[in-house]
Amino acid sequence: MSRALFFLVSRSVANAVLHRLRRLKQPKYLAGAVFGALYFYFYFFQFLFRGTQSAGTGPVLPIGDLGVEIAALILFVVVLVFSWLWAGSRAALHFTEAEIAWLFPAPLDRPTLIRFKLLKSQLGLLFLSCVMTLISGRAALGSLALIHLVGWWIVFSTLQMHRLGASFARQRLLARGLSDWKRRLAVLVGVLALAAAVYFWKISTPAPPHAIADAARAEDFVTWLRSFLHAGPAPWLLLPFRLLVQPWFATDFSAFLAALPAALLLMTLHYIWVVRAHVSFEDASVALSQRRAAYLSARRSGDLRVTQAPRAANVPAFRLRATGFEPVAFIWKHLLAIGGRRTLLYCIGGSAILLAAAVAAPAFSQWPLFAVAVATIASAIFIWVTFTNAAVGARAVRQDLMSIDSLKTFPIAGWKIILGELLGPVFTGTALQIVSLAAAAASVSSIADLPPEFHRLPPMIFVCVAMLTPAINLTLMIIPTAATLLFPAWFKPGEAVSGGMETMGLRIIMALGQFLALGLALAPAAILGGVAWMSAHLLAATAWGPLAGTAIAALTLAVEAGMGVVWLGRLFDRFDPSES
């Protein structure tokens, strides 16, 4: 690669670092950087400074080589799905508008442009490898931290080049007349053949253990999984992926050196495959850069309705009447913004599948892992919606601030505007949370190995949490909305576009404020709910105690949230756009 491209990459990195250092002069970025640095220090402190183990003290995983087999299987599925089945139909490299304007007209061949992008992406991959090394706790192993850092980098680099090479291969097939749906059909046939092979592996291996509650049965399950991964053609299919992850699982430096040549050979073969692929990617890269630039420009201006790809016109979820309660119009707008009737049908279909899997869990009593998997997925959905739904309501209010001059001309009180903007995400988020909670409760209740009292507990927990969820969601949305109205210069619509430690620190500040406000709001609700619970218990109505306490707590939270909405409405009425 020419020295000019090395100079371009080095100066781009240096300018990005200088830009982040210079904007620390602003108080909000300085505070965010401080909180972000403290987060990294305290979260990774035990990994960086408290590690007492040293290299060669023993195996990293207690299951030994089985960890390599499982990691290879996961990589195999990831490559098959995201590189061949559900990947894009055109080969495109992520160039910025400036790079396209200067590099594409330059006398550079395609292999040089590909090497430039691969070199530029290595900095991001190295940073991601460092983060994954810290998160996985490998730095606690002393000198093994560097081994696992290199292992992560080899895996990420090879996966990136494989996905790029797969896009080039698909582009060649499309140029020869193989359409996108035919390619997906061919891959789908291959997946079905693979599924058939997995089925034959299953019938050729011993049956899985009936229970996994005690340690002995857990060892039986590990033994069965080991035999399953070594049956049929599995060793040959997983061989490249096993060689790729082997350095990461090295227990000492000599084992790492022994596994390193095979992994580097795989990475080199992928590099040769990508660089020597004579595929035209310029037009697709230009189109991708234009969509990306339009998306970032819209995010910075607060217009979050723009996406990177054009979408079909959204159909309203319900018909809006000309007259009625004003907040309903903002709920209608929220449902239309997230996709309208199409998104609603997708959510209903996904919820039906999740509930059907939960209902069918008792039929898989011979394999309790099915119920555990359904409960885990449902719980993950519940947690994800809980922590992300609050930002949706605040983002809707930020969009309204872009057109606040027009909104103030409407004969609508500020609290009604705030209520309507927050109730939309509350309704959609609560519906998803209740469905996922019901699926988790039904799945856990179907596990036969649990004690009898655990079968009665999930339905009670479901009812209690379902009553508290709407008020908690509304309470969580009040804090970021109040921050937007009180400190408009700190929390702008395009704040999420720029990354870095300082932006992460601002999000940590917001999260701490949310949890603090939620704790203050829950204190009176918990006190009144506890009084109602004890009163029901004293009246010999033990079964109704949790329900009565939860109902009183939910009512208290709803009253507090209503007071918060009224306060936000007053802030909205007094908001001055010139202050932002």
Side-chain angles (χ1 to χ4, degrees):
M1 191 184 302
S2 64
R3 295 175 59 186
L5 294 182
F6 278 107
F7 175 79
L8 176 61
V9 173
S10 61
R11 292 312 306 168
S12 298
V13 175
N15 291 335
V17 173
L18 289 176
H19 170 70
R20 296 188 182 279
L21 292 177
R22 287 169 182 168
R23 71 179 186 178
L24 292 180
K25 297 179 181 179
Q26 304 180 34
K28 66 174 183 179
Y29 289 119
L30 180 59
V34 170
F35 272 86
L38 290 176
Y39 168 78
F40 270 99
Y41 178 77
F42 286 108
Y43 185 80
F44 300 121
F45 175 79
Q46 57 179 334
F47 299 143
L48 291 175
F49 303 105
R50 296 182 181 177
T52 57
Q53 298 178 354
S54 58
T57 57
V60 176
L61 292 179
I63 54 178
D65 295 338
L66 185 59
V68 178
E69 303 292 340
I70 295 176
L73 180 61
I74 294 175
L75 283 183
F76 174 73
V77 175
V78 168
V79 167
L80 181 65
V81 174
F82 294 103
S83 296
W84 296 98
L85 186 59
W86 297 114
S89 59
R90 300 186 67 185
L93 295 176
H94 292 271
F95 288 94
T96 64
E97 288 187 308
E99 291 172 346
I100 290 176
W102 288 99
L103 298 181
F104 280 25
L108 300 174
D109 54 7
R110 288 171 180 167
T112 302
L113 292 175
I114 294 174
R115 286 194 291 269
F116 167 74
K117 289 305 300 179
L118 292 178
L119 173 65
K120 187 177 179 180
S121 65
Q122 295 310 305
L123 295 175
L125 294 179
L126 283 174
F127 177 77
L128 180 60
S129 301
C130 293
V131 173
M132 293 303 298
T133 301
L134 292 173
I135 292 176
S136 60
R138 296 300 172 183
L141 298 178
S143 60
L144 282 184
L146 180 61
I147 291 178
H148 295 293
L149 174 64
V150 176
W152 278 115
W153 174 74
I154 291 175
V155 172
F156 288 145
S157 299
T158 306
L159 288 180
Q160 181 203 36
M161 288 187 288
H162 184 90
R163 189 170 185 180
L164 184 59
S167 66
F168 289 163
R170 294 193 307 270
Q171 184 71 21
R172 285 197 298 268
L173 294 177
L174 291 174
R176 295 176 181 176
L178 184 61
S179 60
D180 191 43
W181 73 268
K182 290 182 179 179
R183 184 258 305 171
R184 293 187 177 182
L185 180 62
V187 176
L188 182 60
V189 172
V191 172
L192 293 177
L194 181 63
V198 171
Y199 174 75
F200 286 114
W201 294 346
K202 178 179 180 299
I203 63 177
S204 63
T205 54
H210 173 69
I212 58 173
D214 54 289
R217 294 302 181 96
E219 294 177 358
D220 293 341
F221 176 78
V222 170
T223 303
W224 170 82
L225 184 60
R226 193 188 304 275
S227 62
F228 179 79
L229 292 175
H230 286 82
W236 298 101
L237 286 176
L238 301 181
L239 177 61
F241 305 95
R242 190 185 307 111
L243 296 176
L244 186 62
V245 301
Q246 193 72 48
W248 192 89
F249 286 88
T251 57
D252 51 37
F253 195 70
S254 59
F256 173 77
L257 292 179
L260 188 60
L264 291 180
L265 177 61
L266 281 174
M267 191 168 66
T268 304
L269 292 177
H270 278 83
Y271 173 78
I272 296 173
W273 177 32
V274 170
V275 172
R276 293 190 176 183
H278 300 285
V279 176
S280 175
F281 56 82
E282 292 83 356
D283 294 339
S285 297
V286 170
L288 180 62
S289 175
Q290 292 174 348
R291 292 196 302 269
R292 179 64 178 172
Y295 173 75
L296 293 178
S297 177
R299 289 290 299 271
R300 293 188 180 98
S301 63
D303 185 8
L304 302 181
R305 297 169 295 178
V306 179
T307 57
Q308 298 188 45
R311 298 185 305 177
N314 295 333
V315 180
F318 61 92
R319 185 175 181 180
L320 183 65
R321 297 173 54 187
T323 60
F325 189 48
E326 293 88 344
V328 178
F330 293 92
I331 299 174
W332 178 87
K333 185 193 71 171
H334 168 75
L335 295 176
L336 185 64
I338 63 175
R341 190 175 300 173
R342 180 181 62 253
T343 302
L344 184 62
L345 293 177
Y346 287 158
C347 292
I348 293 175
S351 301
I353 294 175
L354 186 62
L355 291 175
V359 172
F364 293 85
S365 58
Q366 297 296 325
W367 199 3
L369 283 179
F370 180 81
V372 173
V374 174
T376 302
I377 294 173
S379 302
I381 294 175
F382 180 86
I383 296 173
W384 176 76
V385 174
T386 301
F387 283 97
T388 59
N389 200 38
V392 178
R395 186 173 60 188
V397 176
R398 290 173 187 167
Q399 291 180 359
D400 286 342
L401 295 181
M402 305 300 297
S403 57
I404 190 171
D405 293 334
S406 300
L407 287 174
K408 285 190 174 183
T409 61
F410 297 160
I412 305 176
W415 70 269
K416 292 184 179 180
I417 297 176
I418 297 295
L419 180 62
E421 292 290 10
L422 299 185
L423 281 183
V426 167
F427 285 161
T428 54
T430 301
L432 292 175
Q433 288 171 311
I434 291 178
V435 170
S436 59
L437 190 63
S443 301
V444 172
S445 300
S446 65
I447 300 178
D449 295 330
L450 294 177
E453 56 271 14
F454 282 92
H455 294 278
R456 299 188 297 268
L457 191 59
M460 180 64 69
I461 295 177
F462 164 72
V463 175
C464 294
V465 175
M467 288 192 294
L468 289 172
T469 297
I472 291 179
N473 288 335
L474 186 57
T475 304
L476 285 174
M477 291 181 187
I478 291 177
I479 298 304
T481 305
T484 301
L485 295 174
L486 291 173
F487 309 102
W490 280 54
F491 302 98
K492 294 182 178 180
E495 195 66 56
V497 176
S498 60
M501 185 179 297
E502 57 275 15
T503 304
M504 183 187 67
L506 289 175
R507 294 172 181 169
I508 293 175
I509 295 174
M510 179 62 66
L512 292 176
Q514 284 180 281
F515 284 113
L516 178 61
L518 182 61
L520 294 176
L522 286 176
I527 293 174
L528 295 178
V531 171
W533 190 331
M534 294 301 297
S535 301
H537 182 73
L538 292 176
L539 294 175
T542 307
W544 292 95
L547 297 179
T550 304
I552 296 299
L555 181 60
T556 305
L557 278 176
V559 172
E560 294 176 349
M563 296 171 61
V565 168
V566 173
W567 174 60
L568 292 178
R570 294 176 180 175
L571 293 178
F572 188 86
D573 291 333
R574 297 195 303 262
F575 183 80
D576 186 2
S578 62
E579 297 179 356
S580 59

